[in-house]
Amino acid sequence: TTGGSDQSERGFEFFVTKMRARFSVPRKQGARLSAPTTATTTTTTRRRRGGGGRSARVVTRAGLSFQKFGKVLQEKAKADFERVFQGTEKTRERLGVVDELLAYWKLDDSEDTLEELEDALIASDFGPGAALALVDGLRDRIKAGEIKDPQALKAELKKSMVSLLESASVKSGSGELAMSESAPTIILIVGVNGGGKTTTVGKLSNRFSKQGYQVMLAAGDTFRAAAKEQLEVWADRTGAVVAEYPDMEKTNPMDVLGRAAELAIDEASATDVLICDTSGRIHNNFQLMDEIEKCKETLAESKAGAPHETLLVLDSTTGLNMLNQAREFNDYIGITGLVLTKLDGTARGGAVVGVVQELGIPIKFIGVGEGVEDLQPFNAEAFVDGILSFSS
């Protein structure tokens, strides 16, 4: 809410003023850190049509197995670090106060500095739970004699953040998507109004298509005007197709998704990935939440193991207010991954850490810009490097 955001901003400014007065630290002007660049070239080949039918589609897609696609995304995330670095600029500037604070850390006043650090993290939307966990970990290592200077303290803070973010993933990296062993993989996209679900569907379609996969989109948002037309525009841009609506006078989301799954499973469509858009729904409206539960059940009935991913799209500008949304959706339908959008438009990116710590659900993608390539596979190390660029 607007009131909550204003209160957070005032709390943060109060903390910065108090901290600078304590250390008499002037604000640095015009300081910018350049991001490291990594060059990676990925070559793919469009999957050949014909000859082999459904069985041929079980093994490979464009020279890549479905099981390897998550690793490809992780490599892509590291290669596109520059995008993440630019897209997290506002959060990085806000967390610059942490760099200033830790630069003056001394062993004999470590407790005071740790308390100030906890306040700084909470004021930056990390949330009490994540802030306390991070600071307690640092305190234990200081007592054990493992941290003796500011640089070691900064390095340990970043390491702890990466560890916390990766802890939610069963696999080695939380950017990996769960893919079906046989085509099609079915992905369900859910969330509240205005979070960026349809845009996320389009950008995911672009990622799959560029790797050579045949993508079908399901326009399950039957409530919003022109939602299907918007999805058709994305399909044209990304080389996907939109599943036709069922032949009935009045459609509902369950019928639309059921028909789309039927078409995607049909060998004639040669579909590798079906991405299902849905209507935005208020997380505390029981009737709407019951409907999204039925949507998931419909997909589950269409193919064993479906949907293979249920991704919740969250607007990063809401900070930790997104937690209530995530809790309700997870309770109803079981969320397998989070997509955090609009990180480039907020200084509240620290909430990413708080959400993972609180819910234990891995982040699969982050939105760091408006471009079609700006939906980035989440890589914990790259993300932490982006929001905490400490001076040497």
Side-chain angles (χ1 to χ4, degrees):
T1 62
T2 303
S5 177
D6 291 342
Q7 186 176 5
S8 176
E9 292 296 331
R10 288 195 299 271
F12 179 74
E13 291 300 327
F14 172 77
F15 166 77
V16 172
T17 301
K18 183 176 69 170
M19 193 277 292
R20 288 204 172 99
R22 176 184 170 191
F23 293 109
S24 299
V25 180
R27 178 182 293 275
K28 296 179 182 179
Q29 298 292 338
R32 288 293 185 272
L33 294 174
S34 59
T37 57
T38 305
T40 297
T41 302
T42 302
T43 303
T44 59
T45 305
R46 172 70 69 175
R47 174 173 50 81
R48 295 178 180 177
R49 298 287 183 186
R54 170 67 63 170
S55 61
R57 296 205 290 136
V58 171
V59 181
T60 61
R61 309 289 178 276
L64 296 172
S65 72
F66 269 5
Q67 284 68 32
K68 291 182 180 178
F69 185 72
K71 297 185 184 300
V72 171
L73 288 179
Q74 284 288 52
E75 293 170 1
K76 182 68 172 172
K78 293 178 181 178
D80 284 348
F81 174 77
E82 180 68 30
R83 291 183 184 272
V84 176
F85 191 85
Q86 292 176 354
T88 53
E89 180 179 4
K90 291 184 178 180
T91 298
R92 184 166 59 255
E93 290 179 349
R94 185 169 192 173
L95 286 171
V97 68
V98 174
D99 187 17
E100 297 176 8
L101 172 62
L102 298 187
Y104 291 85
W105 177 80
K106 294 179 181 179
L107 193 58
D108 57 1
D109 69 345
S110 62
E111 190 57 37
D112 289 340
T113 303
L114 290 177
E115 289 180 3
E116 296 282 3
L117 174 60
E118 185 176 341
D119 290 342
L121 295 176
I122 292 174
S124 298
D125 272 84
F126 276 66
L132 183 62
L134 290 169
V135 171
D136 279 350
L138 294 177
R139 183 178 288 111
D140 291 342
R141 285 166 177 77
I142 291 172
K143 290 180 179 179
E146 299 174 12
I147 298 175
K148 298 179 180 179
D149 58 67
Q151 292 309 313
L153 184 60
K154 293 177 181 180
E156 188 59 41
L157 176 59
K158 294 180 75 169
K159 179 181 177 181
S160 297
M161 283 189 188
V162 171
S163 178
L164 191 155
L165 288 168
E166 289 181 341
S167 66
S169 178
V170 176
K171 299 181 180 179
S172 59
S174 53
E176 293 189 25
L177 287 173
M179 308 295 288
S180 173
E181 292 184 359
S182 62
T185 288
I186 299 177
I187 300 173
L188 177 64
I189 307 295
V190 301
V192 301
N193 296 313
K197 292 183 302 302
T198 302
T199 300
T200 296
V201 170
K203 291 180 178 181
L204 280 176
S205 173
N206 177 67
R207 282 202 169 272
F208 279 110
S209 294
K210 289 186 72 173
Q211 290 294 334
Y213 297 90
Q214 184 63 38
V215 181
M216 179 180 290
L217 308 179
D221 186 349
T222 58
F223 180 78
R224 182 167 57 90
K228 185 172 184 289
E229 288 74 11
Q230 182 184 358
L231 212 59
E232 288 171 346
V233 172
W234 274 110
D236 290 340
R237 291 177 63 184
T238 62
V241 297
V242 177
E244 63 183 34
Y245 267 18
D247 187 16
M248 55 181 61
E249 196 170 310
K250 187 176 181 180
T251 58
N252 62 56
M254 289 73 73
D255 292 331
V256 171
L257 298 188
R259 175 58 174 161
E262 180 183 330
L263 292 172
I265 293 170
D266 187 347
E267 286 189 15
S269 75
T271 299
D272 294 318
V273 182
L274 171 64
I275 309 176
C276 303
D277 193 14
T278 59
S279 303
R281 56 200 68 241
I282 302 173
H283 59 281
N284 55 9
N285 184 310
F286 300 127
Q287 183 176 355
L288 293 176
M289 295 303 288
D290 285 341
E291 183 180 81
I292 197 65
E293 188 176 17
K294 293 176 182 177
C295 287
K296 185 170 184 177
E297 290 172 352
T298 298
L299 294 175
E301 291 170 358
S302 67
K303 182 183 179 181
H308 304 97
E309 285 279 8
T310 302
L311 303 180
L312 174 62
V313 177
L314 296 171
D315 182 348
S316 299
T317 63
T318 62
L320 281 176
N321 291 332
M322 68 178 77
L323 274 173
N324 288 334
Q325 300 172 25
R327 287 192 192 102
E328 291 295 332
F329 274 96
N330 192 45
D331 287 345
Y332 263 86
I333 60 174
I335 300 300
T336 60
L338 304 174
V339 179
L340 301 182
T341 61
K342 309 177 187 179
L343 269 175
D344 57 310
T346 180
R348 309 179 75 179
V352 171
V353 183
V355 169
V356 173
Q357 192 275 337
E358 178 84 11
L359 300 176
I361 300 174
I363 301 167
K364 300 299 177 86
F365 291 91
I366 55 175
V368 292
E370 297 181 359
V372 70
E373 298 287 346
D374 289 330
L375 183 70
Q376 290 293 305
F378 182 73
N379 178 277
E381 187 174 353
F383 177 77
V384 172
D385 283 341
I387 65 172
L388 284 179
S389 292
F390 290 142
S391 59
S392 58

